[in-house]
Amino acid sequence: MRGDIAEAGAIAFREGPSGEIEYLLVTAKNNPTVWIFPKGHIERGETAEQGALRELREEGGVEGEVVRLVGSVRLQRPTQTNLLVTFFLVRATGTIESSEERASVWLRFALTLERLTFPESRDLLLKAVGES
C-alpha cells in the first residue's frame, strides 16, 4: 500500500441575504450528483492553507480568508492510494469566475448537512460549527 496523498479543502461560509450563515458546496469533478466541499491536491510550494484557498477559487469561484483549521480526514479510494485531506474554515470575501465547470450552491446549515454526500463531510461541518 502506498502512502497518503495530501490534499486541502475549504469549508467556506458567508452571511446570506436573510442574515443567516450559508455554506458553499460544489459537485464532484467526476460525478455531478455528489456534493462536497471544494478540495484538491496541494501543489508544490504551497501550504495546506494556500491549497485550500486555491481550490476554493478554482472549484467554487470564491475568494476567502482562512479562519482556522477544522481537521483532517482520510478518504479511501478505489486505488491503493488514500487521500489525507486537511480542511479549513474559510470566510468568503468575494467571488470570481470559477475555472472549473461545476455546479455550486450556498445553503443554510441544516440544508448543507442534508445535501452533503459523505458522512465525513457532515462530521467536518459539525466540527467547524461547534468550534465557532
Side-chain angles (χ1 to χ4, degrees), residues 77-98:
R77 293 179 35 168
T79 63
Q80 290 184 334
T81 304
N82 295 325
L83 302 176
L84 182 62
V85 189
T86 302
F87 282 91
F88 297 89
L89 185 63
V90 177
R91 179 180 295 106
T93 58
T95 58
I96 60 169
E97 181 142 346
S98 171

Side-chain angles (χ1 to χ4, degrees), residues 31-48:
N31 186 346
T33 66
V34 172
W35 290 92
I36 60 173
F37 296 117
K39 68 167 190 61
H41 296 288
I42 299 170
E43 293 183 355
R44 185 181 306 270
E46 274 185 332
T47 65

Side-chain angles (χ1 to χ4, degrees), residues 4-64:
D4 293 330
I5 294 176
E7 290 195 351
I11 300 172
F13 70 94
R14 71 176 187 189
E15 185 176 316
S18 66
E20 290 189 57
I21 298 298
E22 297 176 330
Y23 300 89
L24 178 72
L25 296 181
V26 299
T27 53
K29 186 176 189 176
N30 297 320
N31 186 346
T33 66
V34 172
W35 290 92
I36 60 173
F37 296 117
K39 68 167 190 61
H41 296 288
I42 299 170
E43 293 183 355
R44 185 181 306 270
E46 274 185 332
T47 65
E49 286 185 2
Q50 291 167 334
L53 293 174
R54 180 183 45 74
E55 291 294 339
L56 180 61
R57 287 190 303 273
E58 291 176 1
E59 296 181 3
V62 173
E63 294 278 359

Side-chain angles (χ1 to χ4, degrees), residues 7-13 23 25 35-39 68-75 83-90 109 112-113 116 118-132:
E7 290 195 351
I11 300 172
F13 70 94
Y23 300 89
L25 296 181
W35 290 92
I36 60 173
F37 296 117
K39 68 167 190 61
R68 73 175 179 300
L69 172 69
V70 174
S72 297
V73 293
R74 182 167 278 111
L75 303 176
L83 302 176
L84 182 62
V85 189
T86 302
F87 282 91
F88 297 89
L89 185 63
V90 177
F109 176 76
T112 304
L113 274 180
L116 282 164
F118 301 108
E120 298 89 350
S121 298
R122 289 190 286 277
D123 291 345
L124 283 164
L125 180 61
L126 290 167
K127 185 175 181 185
V129 171
E131 294 179 2
S132 53

